[in-house]
Amino acid sequence: MLRYLLGRLGMAALVALTVSVISFGLIYMAGDPAVALAGENATPEIIAQIRAQHGYDRPIAVQYLDWLAHALRGDFGVSPYFKIEVATLIADRLRITMTLGVLGISFALLVGVPMGVLAAMRPNSMIDRAALFIAVVGQAIPSFWFGLILIVLFAVNLGWLPASGADSWKGFVLPTIVLGYYATPAIMRLTRTGMIEVLGSDYIRTARAKGVPPRKILFKHALRNAVIPVVSLAAVQMGFMLGGSIVTESVFALHGAGYLAWQSISRNDLPTMQALILIFSLFYIIFTFLADALNAWLDPRLRD
Amino acid sequence: MAAPILSITDLTVDLPRGGDRPHAVEGLSLEVAPGEIVCIVGESGSGKSITSFATMSLLPRSLKVSSGRILFEGRDILTLSESEHAKLRGHRMAMIFQEPMTALNPCYTVGDQIEEVFLSHTDMPKAERKAKTIALLEEVRMPDPPRIHASYPHQLSGGQRQRIVIAMALALNPSLLIADEPTTALDVTTQAQILAMFRDLRKTRGAGIMLVTHDFDVVAEVADKVVVMQKGRVVEQGTAEEVLNRPRHPYTRQLIDAVPRRQAEVTQDVSGRPVVLRVEGLEKIYRVPASFGRAAREVAALKPASFELREGETLGIVGESGSGKTTLVRAMLRLIDPSGGQVFVDGRDIASAQRSSLRSLRRDIQIVFQDPYGSLNPRRTIGDQLVEGPVNFGMSRSEAMKRARELVRIVRLEEEALSRYPNQFSGGQRQRLCIARALMVEPKILVADEAVSALDVSVQKEVLRLLAEIRDRMGLSMLFITHDLRVAAQVSDHVIVMSKGEIVERGPIAQVFNDPQHAYTRQLLAAMPGQGWEVPDISTLPPVSA
């Protein structure tokens, strides 16, 4: 188990390193950064001055290591657009996005897994059909439209929940549903397929033959085997929610990291973009690692 | 005699509409007494497994018992609710399944899975459950029970897993034990140990055992009573002695007649004939690269092997799973790259040939695999699949079609089979089609890799006879790979015995079987079930009407 986890950890570290190189390289992919900073009417002398001032005249490897050393300490420089420390800026925004992401994936799992199990217990029954219907609708509705519908219904007409803002927990209810609902169908379908396959397997028959009560067969023997692929899927979706919650954040006027990413791209705010790319990727890597660890705990075959 | 534990009367199980017959089991009656082993024999589809599942109330949802009674210890279990029946299962009646590789949950230790039986039926404290489980592991002769207790299924071999399932079944001393083909997936030596265990159980525990099998040798080895089933009906039942030696029903006679004899029917002297295939020092070594804290290792899947195959000869290669016989064939055909050695066909070396020239070399050696279901593409007609080979080698389609029609007749199917799809044929017919496909490119050598292992005995007999006939008619040489010693004895002229990647014995079939030199060969022969039983000569029995 330990050896497996160490191996995975080593792999994760290598991926993280690769990502850091790419996000650093962004500066140069967009052209000469000194020219961009100097503005349109700059003289060659001013450009050279800026280049020296920002250290862009040093060898690329030195610049990268310098940037990485600062990044590791949480120092991503100052945002030229927002005029504040990138780290402070992101920390603030990330809190909202993380809250939303965790709530969203929890919603998706809490709805998707039980629905998948119920559907699998009686394939082609009314429950199965209903679950399928909910899943198809979830996949088909664009999330901005679904968000607007919820706002009209619960905020405007019924007045139960606020339409926007992150001032209290109430502001997160509708965005959680929108974000979570989008991830639910895939989780539900995968749970259903997994459960149907597992329930037909020989070891479930063995468990029945030893007289294990049906409820225990379902939860102890079947579910554990069936959720293994769901765990991997949930990790990917969680990563996707962090970077891809931009639509939901816009609809509910939550100024999270997704919204910040959009802002920094449209303002050509390189330090913020670099930091966000690095952080989003690191989250992806961490979630994948956690999912691998969880799966190794669930399935002993993965450990050897 | 003691009152029966299990008494099934007039049991009928319906098949879903659209099946090939209305009932899976029809009007079945049988009894199992304490301390008795009752064998249910029949070919695939005879309803023998359905009978055992119905008794355990484990029938799939699509199958329903429509009439009859199953009295177990005096209670009709068909009238019990699911939860009442669950209380009997694992406690008073227990079952052992055919496929040990998939019968255990991969996520839990085997100790945990055995303890679950105690957990479900008793309120035994944890320490006692564990102690009992360790004792059970000892009883089924597992090495180092505490270590096995903490092992996961994937860390155990098939034979060991089957013992775990048996330990589970024995945990609470059931009065009825149902075993559905418990040894079919196991090697012959493991099979012998497990059958011996059944005989002991009957004596020491006094349980009634219902054993479902297709193998008459297993019946001869353990049965007290035999029930023969065909297409859902019981055609004959009686004591083992009666049914095995004086079968009355024509179907039973046909089955017994199809059991391969321990002696070859005809052996030929091939010593003077030209050599068509010469294998010299062929070996395959797998290198396991170093990883975190583990040094690199070398595993010899095949130690240097040499042999010759002469024209018109059938060479049997026998061995248990993991003995290296499949690796040998694969390396020989360059399906995997050998680590060393030569394979000469017509003086050309396959082992060192360029990949581009392999195609024409492979044409001389064709192979028929074990699984006739997976070997044919389900979406293409038989004709298309048959002509593909020769057309690839440059024959015109019309000429290839002509040859296909001829070969389909040779394997005794109708010409119209060519325009049909694989799912319209039975397993035996498919295997004949696979043989026809292999023969399409006029090979010099035919390799049969467990080609009859998946077939019922009567079908097996037909296919074996067909292979011998084709060999003689076309002057083919055959390599016959099998784990079944009886089959090997029946078809081979010479035989090679393999163990742990090595050839341990070779020679003419009669010599190896009657006077084995190597300890492993002796052990293998001794493990064959049904030694005390000589297959009766059906033609000397009185006519069926008697």
Side-chain angles (χ1 to χ4, degrees), chain A residues 3 7 121-122 202-203 205-206 208-213 216 220-221 224-225 298-301 303-304, chain B residues 53 58 61 86 89-90 97 102-108 112-113 116-117 119 121 152 154-155 292 294:
Chain A
R3 175 179 288 138
M121 281 167 67
R122 297 244 174 263
D202 286 355
Y203 54 84
R205 190 180 59 187
T206 308
R208 290 181 65 201
K210 354 183 230 199
V212 177
K216 204 170 161 195
K220 181 180 169 188
H221 288 277
R224 182 162 173 170
N225 283 285
L298 284 171
D299 187 347
R301 285 170 298 182
R303 291 173 214 160
D304 297 327
Chain B
F53 285 128
L58 290 175
R61 275 205 194 105
R89 286 200 298 261
F97 303 94
T102 53
L104 296 169
N105 192 328
C107 290
Y108 297 96
D112 186 87
Q113 294 186 58
E116 204 175 18
V117 181
L119 200 62
H121 297 286
Y152 288 96
H154 72 274
Q155 296 164 329
F292 295 96
R294 248 182 252 184

Side-chain angles (χ1 to χ4, degrees), chain B residues 251-301:
Chain B
Y251 179 69
T252 318
R253 289 187 175 188
Q254 185 197 329
L255 283 181
I256 288 181
D257 195 38
V259 174
R261 307 300 193 268
R262 246 167 264 145
Q263 292 299 327
E265 283 177 349
V266 253
T267 39
Q268 36 177 6
D269 182 23
V270 293
S271 50
R273 299 195 195 158
V275 172
V276 289
L277 170 78
R278 201 170 82 240
V279 172
E280 274 174 21
L282 191 67
E283 63 178 322
K284 177 70 192 172
I285 293 168
Y286 286 101
R287 290 190 171 79
V288 183
S291 66
F292 295 96
R294 248 182 252 184
R297 284 175 300 142
E298 287 195 345
V299 180

Side-chain angles (χ1 to χ4, degrees), chain A residues 19-290:
Chain A
V19 166
S20 75
V21 170
I22 293 172
S23 67
F24 170 77
L26 261 187
I27 308 186
Y28 287 96
M29 285 175 206
D32 188 335
V35 175
L37 278 177
E40 279 179 32
N41 300 318
T43 60
E45 289 76 40
I46 294 179
I47 293 176
Q49 194 190 334
I50 290 177
R51 185 172 290 143
Q53 187 187 333
H54 286 82
Y56 292 145
D57 52 353
R58 294 173 297 167
I60 286 217
V62 174
Q63 288 184 51
Y64 166 70
L65 289 176
D66 185 45
W67 174 81
L68 188 66
H70 280 98
L72 285 175
R73 275 178 267 138
D75 175 9
F76 293 98
V78 176
S79 157
Y81 174 69
F82 293 97
K83 310 288 183 208
I84 52 168
E85 287 258 313
V86 173
T88 326
L89 182 68
I90 290 180
D92 196 38
R93 303 294 188 89
L94 207 56
R95 200 170 41 80
I96 293 178
T97 300
M98 280 299 281
T99 314
L100 196 56
V102 170
L103 288 172
I105 199 72
S106 309
F107 176 87
L109 287 170
L110 286 174
V111 175
V113 171
M115 234 164 52
V117 171
L118 279 176
M121 281 167 67
R122 297 244 174 263
N124 300 321
S125 65
M126 283 306 287
I127 298 176
D128 189 21
R129 299 261 158 79
L132 180 66
F133 176 76
I134 295 172
V136 169
V137 170
Q139 249 154 3
I141 296 186
S143 43
F144 73 88
W145 192 72
F146 183 52
L148 291 177
I149 298 273
L150 289 186
I151 289 176
V152 169
L153 196 65
F154 292 101
V156 180
N157 288 350
L158 295 169
W160 292 349
L161 296 161
S164 64
D167 306 328
S168 77
W169 63 268
K170 284 185 179 167
F172 282 101
V173 175
L174 295 182
T176 297
I177 294 175
V178 173
L179 199 59
Y181 189 26
Y182 186 72
T184 304
I187 288 179
M188 192 220 86
R189 301 296 289 171
L190 198 61
T191 309
R192 177 184 180 271
T193 324
M195 279 301 274
I196 288 180
E197 198 193 312
V198 169
L199 284 174
S201 68
D202 286 355
Y203 54 84
I204 294 300
R205 190 180 59 187
T206 308
R208 290 181 65 201
K210 354 183 230 199
V212 177
R215 183 185 300 268
K216 204 170 161 195
I217 290 182
L218 197 62
F219 291 110
K220 181 180 169 188
H221 288 277
L223 195 55
R224 182 162 173 170
N225 283 285
V227 294
I228 289 165
V230 178
V231 169
S232 309
L233 175 70
V236 174
Q237 283 187 326
M238 177 78 192
F240 181 75
M241 277 183 186
L242 290 185
S245 62
I246 176 165
V247 174
T248 313
E249 285 180 18
S250 306
V251 170
F252 291 96
L254 292 168
H255 293 288
Y259 188 68
L260 180 65
W262 178 73
Q263 278 178 311
S264 64
I265 290 166
S266 56
R267 311 289 175 198
N268 213 4
D269 183 345
L270 278 175
T272 313
M273 276 159 67
Q274 278 182 321
L276 281 172
I277 289 172
L278 189 64
I279 289 172
F280 282 150
S281 318
L282 284 181
F283 274 120
Y284 247 113
I285 293 165
I286 292 169
F287 292 137
T288 314
F289 172 73
L290 288 179

Side-chain angles (χ1 to χ4, degrees), chain B residues 195 216-221 262 486 527-534:
Chain B
L195 291 179
F216 271 95
D217 287 325
V218 170
V219 175
E221 188 71 22
R262 246 167 264 145
R486 286 203 163 189
M528 277 171 72
Q531 306 256 350
W533 175 53
E534 274 309 316

Side-chain angles (χ1 to χ4, degrees), chain B residues 42 103 122 151 153 165 189 210 266 300 319 336 368 387 403-404 411 463:
Chain B
T122 67
S151 300
V165 177
T189 40
M210 183 161 113
V266 253
I336 52 174
V368 179
V387 300
R403 181 156 175 77
V411 297
V463 173

